[in-house]
Amino acid sequence: MSQTTPVPEVQYTDIRDRLRQFVAERDWAQFHTPKNLASALTVEAAELLEIFQWLPTGKADELDEQAKTAIRHEMADVLNYLVMLADALHVDLFAASMEKIVLNAIKYPVEQVKGDARKYTAYDNDPKIDAP
Amino acid sequence: MSQTTPVPEVQYTDIRDRLRQFVAERDWAQFHTPKNLASALTVEAAELLEIFQWLPTGKADELDEQAKTAIRHEMADVLNYLVMLADALHVDLFAASMEKIVLNAIKYPVEQVKGDARKYTAYDNDPKIDAP
Amino acid sequence: MSQTTPVPEVQYTDIRDRLRQFVAERDWAQFHTPKNLASALTVEAAELLEIFQWLPTGKADELDEQAKTAIRHEMADVLNYLVMLADALHVDLFAASMEKIVLNAIKYPVEQVKGDARKYTAYDNDPKIDAP
Amino acid sequence: MSQTTPVPEVQYTDIRDRLRQFVAERDWAQFHTPKNLASALTVEAAELLEIFQWLPTGKADELDEQAKTAIRHEMADVLNYLVMLADALHVDLFAASMEKIVLNAIKYPVEQVKGDARKYTAYDNDPKIDAP
């Protein structure tokens, strides 16, 4: 790329708009109920997980180029369904994200949870783990 | 808010940086292998799906305020794990998204799939449905 | 099949034993930590869900023969990982199932929930729906 | 228990029949389309996975009693939805299981895959891992 023609960075709204067009061209909005989008998002997340599932530790250095490409594609699928769902329900995804980080910061106080993912039972009456 | 002090819009990098800080403060990076992040992302996606699962059609008008708030929070959780995974693996999430839309546009040509989510068997040798 | 040699019905222990053999022959026990089995089970469940995800209602009459075969295979995958996980953790799956039905019968009293999957918010402080 | 009155072992049909009764009493069959059951099954599988997700290795010795009880309950939920789905679609779950093991034995020949979950890329053109 020459210095005089920088490639413009992709923005959130670019993705949203491109997805709207993709769906409209195919007349697929009829299938895209929020429920179906949430289902598709879950399926894509599981396809992402599948790539990691038998790795000994699941650290980055266990991933070869083929796995990395597949991961990149599945992450894109997850994001795309998330953006379509946000669009359908008028959710400001980035604001929601920041809001949730604040809520999690309150739910998991530093002094209580630092370095410990296993003491959840001590600070959560629910047997499910939802931290870190 | 006064007109003279607009709230700056949240940017992708703001979320990424805030998550980095959140994790560092709690010393949780040790738990955040890409494999574990992909697992957590899938769990959050399923929690999102759970909100919709018994709705008759799953359209937006079936959602009350409580459901909408829960959806917003679960979508934030999904995004947050996706951003952490992208950060861990140096994936440019938005570029990947655009790339995948281009690949999907080739995979699902308009003239072949328009208005039809059920003819997948006609254009896919795999019994699985991965469109729309 | 002749009338004099009926095919013996498959028993739970037959499946468990056949899976043990399958895994032993391939030396795959090393990959089958309970965590990895739970992950694989989730991935298979999502592959099952994928078959249904764009169907208008998801009732049985929308499924063609190809879909039915794919569903049968994915259900088998789910069961197989569930049996392997039960074997690894010494869980009596059928006893656990009966136990959980008793617990659910208490959690969802007939007079309170009859015919209603949407009133969960009235009898559950948690915004998540886990009934029916 | 006295020696003369052994507790009869729970059979598959006992679970199926008890679930039929549970659903009928609550008039919940209307919500139990195969699609919704597949969705609920996926959600329960993810709740099972959640219990394991931050464990260092996910081996059995990392599980305390509380985790084991939660696992047992989530496994029961998965089985219960699987049995209801099999009932709705007239699938012989155990026969399907045996059938799939035979198919997998062909797909993953011992001499090719023994002790190796990572060489999938060498015997699978698809970047996804579906073995072991």
Side-chain angles (χ1 to χ4, degrees):
Chain A
M1 282 169 275
S2 85
Q3 290 181 305
T4 51
T5 56
V7 175
E9 213 186 326
V10 177
Q11 300 296 315
Y12 182 87
T13 47
D14 298 332
I15 295 172
R16 185 202 61 197
D17 293 346
R18 188 63 194 83
L19 287 167
R20 282 182 185 174
Q21 185 194 346
F22 181 92
V23 171
E25 285 168 354
R26 285 160 186 78
D27 195 15
W28 278 356
Q30 59 185 309
F31 307 114
H32 284 196
T33 60
K35 179 178 174 171
N36 286 0
L37 291 173
S39 180
L41 191 157
T42 304
V43 168
E44 296 301 336
E47 291 182 1
L48 174 65
L49 177 58
E50 191 179 21
I51 300 166
F52 295 96
Q53 72 185 351
W54 304 118
L55 299 178
T57 70
K59 289 183 187 164
D61 59 12
E62 290 170 351
L63 302 167
D64 60 19
E65 283 311 306
Q66 187 179 8
K68 279 183 195 164
T69 300
I71 287 165
R72 187 182 160 85
H73 286 168
E74 299 298 350
M75 290 178 75
D77 285 333
V78 170
L79 181 64
N80 288 344
Y81 281 118
L82 195 61
V83 169
M84 286 189 276
L85 183 58
D87 198 22
L89 296 177
H90 310 294
V91 167
D92 182 334
L93 205 49
F94 284 9
S97 163
M98 279 300 200
E99 219 178 271
K100 194 64 199 294
I101 297 171
V102 171
L103 291 173
N104 280 342
I106 295 166
K107 191 173 177 185
Y108 303 110
V110 169
E111 62 277 13
Q112 204 172 3
V113 303
K114 194 167 181 179
D116 191 350
R118 304 220 287 167
K119 274 200 198 141
Y120 60 94
T121 53
Y123 51 84
D124 195 331
N125 293 320
D126 189 300
K128 292 178 208 156
I129 306 158
D130 55 0
Chain B
M1 284 168 274
S2 85
Q3 290 181 307
T4 51
T5 57
V7 175
E9 214 187 324
V10 178
Q11 300 295 316
Y12 182 87
T13 47
D14 299 332
I15 295 173
R16 184 201 62 197
D17 293 347
R18 187 64 194 84
L19 286 168
R20 282 182 184 174
Q21 185 194 347
F22 182 91
V23 170
E25 285 168 353
R26 284 161 187 76
D27 195 16
W28 278 356
Q30 59 185 310
F31 307 114
H32 285 195
T33 60
K35 178 179 174 171
N36 286 0
L37 291 172
S39 180
L41 192 157
T42 303
V43 168
E44 296 301 337
E47 290 182 0
L48 173 65
L49 178 58
E50 191 180 21
I51 300 167
F52 294 96
Q53 74 187 351
W54 305 118
L55 299 178
T57 69
K59 290 182 186 164
D61 59 12
E62 290 171 351
L63 303 167
D64 61 20
E65 284 311 306
Q66 187 179 8
K68 279 182 193 165
T69 300
I71 287 166
R72 187 181 160 87
H73 287 168
E74 299 299 349
M75 290 178 76
D77 285 333
V78 170
L79 181 63
N80 289 344
Y81 281 118
L82 194 61
V83 170
M84 286 189 276
L85 183 57
D87 198 22
L89 296 177
H90 310 294
V91 167
D92 181 334
L93 206 48
F94 285 9
S97 163
M98 280 300 200
E99 219 179 272
K100 194 65 199 293
I101 298 171
V102 171
L103 291 172
N104 280 341
I106 295 165
K107 191 173 177 186
Y108 303 110
V110 169
E111 61 277 13
Q112 204 172 3
V113 303
K114 194 168 181 178
D116 191 350
R118 305 220 287 167
K119 274 199 199 142
Y120 59 94
T121 52
Y123 53 83
D124 196 331
N125 292 320
D126 189 298
K128 291 177 212 159
I129 306 157
D130 54 4
Chain C
M1 286 168 270
S2 86
Q3 290 181 306
T4 51
T5 56
V7 174
E9 212 186 325
V10 177
Q11 300 295 315
Y12 182 86
T13 47
D14 298 333
I15 294 172
R16 185 202 60 197
D17 293 347
R18 187 65 193 81
L19 286 167
R20 282 182 185 172
Q21 185 194 345
F22 182 91
V23 171
E25 285 169 354
R26 285 160 186 77
D27 195 16
W28 278 355
Q30 60 184 309
F31 306 114
H32 284 196
T33 60
K35 179 178 174 172
N36 285 359
L37 291 172
S39 181
L41 192 158
T42 303
V43 168
E44 296 301 337
E47 290 182 1
L48 174 64
L49 178 58
E50 191 179 22
I51 301 166
F52 294 96
Q53 73 186 353
W54 305 118
L55 299 178
T57 70
K59 290 183 185 163
D61 58 13
E62 290 171 350
L63 302 166
D64 61 20
E65 283 311 306
Q66 187 180 8
K68 279 184 193 163
T69 300
I71 287 166
R72 187 183 160 86
H73 287 167
E74 299 299 351
M75 290 178 74
D77 285 333
V78 171
L79 182 64
N80 289 345
Y81 281 118
L82 194 60
V83 169
M84 286 189 275
L85 183 57
D87 199 21
L89 296 177
H90 310 295
V91 168
D92 181 334
L93 205 49
F94 284 10
S97 163
M98 281 300 201
E99 221 179 270
K100 194 66 198 292
I101 298 171
V102 171
L103 291 172
N104 280 342
I106 295 165
K107 191 173 176 185
Y108 302 110
V110 169
E111 61 277 14
Q112 206 172 2
V113 304
K114 194 167 182 179
D116 191 350
R118 305 219 285 165
K119 274 198 200 141
Y120 61 93
T121 52
Y123 51 85
D124 196 330
N125 292 321
D126 190 299
K128 292 178 208 155
I129 306 158
D130 53 2
Chain D
M1 283 168 272
S2 85
Q3 291 182 306
T4 51
T5 55
V7 175
E9 214 186 324
V10 177
Q11 300 295 317
Y12 182 87
T13 48
D14 298 333
I15 295 172
R16 184 201 62 197
D17 293 347
R18 188 64 193 83
L19 286 167
R20 283 182 184 173
Q21 185 195 345
F22 182 92
V23 171
E25 284 169 353
R26 285 161 186 76
D27 195 15
W28 278 355
Q30 59 185 310
F31 307 113
H32 284 196
T33 60
K35 178 178 174 172
N36 286 359
L37 290 172
S39 179
L41 192 157
T42 303
V43 169
E44 296 301 337
E47 290 182 0
L48 174 64
L49 177 58
E50 191 179 23
I51 300 166
F52 294 96
Q53 73 187 352
W54 305 118
L55 299 178
T57 69
K59 289 182 186 165
D61 59 12
E62 290 171 351
L63 303 166
D64 60 19
E65 283 311 305
Q66 187 179 7
K68 279 183 194 164
T69 300
I71 287 165
R72 187 183 160 86
H73 287 167
E74 299 299 350
M75 290 179 75
D77 285 334
V78 170
L79 182 64
N80 289 345
Y81 280 118
L82 193 61
V83 169
M84 287 189 275
L85 183 57
D87 199 21
L89 296 177
H90 310 293
V91 167
D92 181 334
L93 206 48
F94 284 9
S97 163
M98 280 299 201
E99 220 179 272
K100 194 64 199 293
I101 298 170
V102 171
L103 291 173
N104 280 342
I106 295 166
K107 190 173 176 185
Y108 302 110
V110 169
E111 61 276 13
Q112 205 172 0
V113 302
K114 194 167 181 179
D116 191 351
R118 305 219 287 166
K119 274 199 198 142
Y120 60 93
T121 52
Y123 52 83
D124 196 330
N125 292 320
D126 189 299
K128 292 178 212 157
I129 306 157
D130 54 3

